[in-house]
Amino acid sequence: QVHLVESGGGVVQAGGSLRLSCAASGRTFSGYSVGWFRQAPGKEREFVGTISWDYDMTRTADSVKGRFTISRDNARNTVFLQIDSLKPEDTAVYYCAAALDLLPTTATRYHYWGQGTQVTVSS
């Protein structure tokens, strides 16, 4: 019953940056962890990062650490994924999801999913 909407994707040159947003419709993220996943064509769904709304704790995948930053905006009830130094291999559909566990990294722990936003990185 939690409706999530991602936005901020687009086509960016390698080395550029994007800031993705995940907003919950009609409620706050209080009590949830909010995760980011990505899936490229023909690839498995990959964990990117997650944040605990209540404790402001984050966890990011080693593969993106140093380039990807997850944060929240309390006033806007929004979670952000800042992506810097984009690489062509970052091209994927990026999804946000909500879980009741603390900072889970597996997709099966997330029960509410957005529809995704496309990130395309050109060479």
Side-chain angles (χ1 to χ4, degrees), residues 10 37 67 86 90 93 103 108 113 120:
F37 294 80
R67 298 191 300 115
L86 279 159
D90 294 323
V93 177
L103 304 178
T108 55
W113 292 82
T120 302

Side-chain angles (χ1 to χ4, degrees), residues 37-122:
F37 294 80
R38 66 183 182 183
Q39 189 163 23
K43 304 293 185 180
E44 296 181 0
R45 185 167 45 184
E46 178 186 14
F47 169 76
V48 174
T50 185
I51 183 170
S52 169
W53 185 265
D54 295 328
Y55 298 105
D56 197 25
M57 298 169 57
T58 61
R59 176 183 294 170
T60 55
D62 290 340
S63 60
V64 302
K65 196 166 296 182
R67 298 191 300 115
F68 287 35
T69 304
I70 188 168
S71 62
R72 69 178 187 181
D73 186 324
N74 292 338
R76 297 170 62 185
N77 298 311
T78 301
V79 172
F80 301 102
L81 181 66
Q82 177 71 35
I83 312 175
D84 297 318
S85 301
L86 279 159
K87 304 175 181 179
E89 53 262 42
D90 294 323
T91 296
V93 177
Y94 284 72
Y95 300 92
C96 68
L100 291 172
D101 297 330
L102 181 63
L103 304 178
T105 61
T106 57
T108 55
R109 297 297 187 94
Y110 292 84
H111 300 297
Y112 303 101
W113 292 82
Q115 294 300 305
T117 185
Q118 176 71 49
V119 172
T120 302
V121 184
S122 61

